[in-house]
Amino acid sequence: MIRVIISNDLKHITIKGHAGYDEYGRDIVCASVSSIVYTTINGTEYVGGIVGENGGDIVESSSLKSDVTGTTYVGGIVGVNYDGSIVNTCCSSNTVIGESVVGGVVGENQANISSTFNSGNVTATDGYAGGIAGRVTSCTISDCYNTGDISGSSKICGIAGQLRRQATITNTYSIGNITGDSDANAILGDLSNGTVTNSYYDRNKVFDADGNKVTDQWATGLRTTQMTGEDSL
């Protein structure tokens, strides 16, 4: 069940699904949102398809065919993930739209994500957009992939818009279309502090605002047939 709470003074909206039934820090297991969820007030932050702010593990959960819209910290599953791991989770056929720090799975991520994928479209009008996370801080994204289209202004990428504070991306790939005005990249948009290893992308699907192909300096570009056809890895 999804519950929507609108405050009397109309300053905010709270959207709660399974996460509304336990204390902060508890795990979310096998949760899903299959209905369409719309934020209806401009300026809303911390917006997620399942939960806005998360402090516990999210395991085997999904957000299916949901439209998630906000301003900052917007994600297909979680708006901001503080200290709970996300494992075996997917976002399928979603549309996630925000101004900045927008991700197919998580907007702002500060805990490990593994074995997770996004196939929905993500847009950040002001920047920091990723198929998995908009921004990643002091944690690891591993064994994840993106097939959705990512677009926006700056730092628009298949996996994460930015890595900082010794964050890591490893064992990932992206085959979605990536288009940005500046700093459009296949896997990562901005490396403030961190590492990227063993990550791949379809080199025919990443373009800047002028339609020129972009080469990701932190990942390996492959032909489409190497990514999806008989020659795939």
Side-chain angles (χ1 to χ4, degrees), residues 142-166:
S142 61
D143 304 312
C144 295
Y145 68 89
N146 168 68
T147 63
D149 295 342
I150 317 299
S151 62
S153 57
S154 65
K155 299 174 178 61
I156 309 301
C157 305
I159 299 298
Q162 183 185 53
L163 288 187
R164 59 181 187 169
R165 300 177 189 172
Q166 299 182 335

Side-chain angles (χ1 to χ4, degrees), residues 22-92:
D22 215 333
E23 299 176 357
Y24 178 86
R26 297 294 183 89
D27 297 345
I28 301 172
V29 180
C30 298
S32 65
V33 175
S34 57
S35 61
I36 297 177
V37 179
Y38 292 101
T39 56
T40 57
I41 295 181
N42 293 327
T44 302
E45 298 179 340
Y46 306 102
V47 182
I50 289 180
V51 62
E53 298 176 78
N54 178 59
D57 292 345
I58 297 179
V59 181
E60 296 180 355
S61 298
S62 61
S63 179
L64 305 175
K65 297 182 179 179
S66 297
D67 291 343
V68 183
T69 305
T71 56
T72 307
Y73 310 125
V74 185
I77 296 290
V78 183
V80 178
N81 186 43
Y82 292 110
D83 52 17
S85 296
I86 298 177
V87 182
N88 292 332
T89 293
C90 72
C91 291
S92 178

Side-chain angles (χ1 to χ4, degrees), residues 95-154:
T95 299
V96 184
I97 300 173
E99 295 178 4
S100 64
V101 193
V102 184
V105 178
V106 183
E108 170 75 28
N109 187 63
Q110 302 174 17
N112 294 338
I113 300 177
S114 62
S115 302
T116 291
F117 75 87
N118 169 64
S119 62
N121 298 331
V122 178
T123 300
T125 56
D126 291 341
Y128 295 107
I132 301 299
R135 188 165 60 194
V136 180
T137 303
S138 304
C139 62
T140 297
I141 293 178
S142 61
D143 304 312
C144 295
Y145 68 89
N146 168 68
T147 63
D149 295 342
I150 317 299
S151 62
S153 57
S154 65

Side-chain angles (χ1 to χ4, degrees), residues 11 22 67 116 132 138 148 170 198 207 226 230:
K11 289 183 178 180
D22 215 333
D67 291 343
T116 291
I132 301 299
S138 304
T170 185
N198 198 32
F207 300 92
Q226 290 176 295
E230 294 180 355

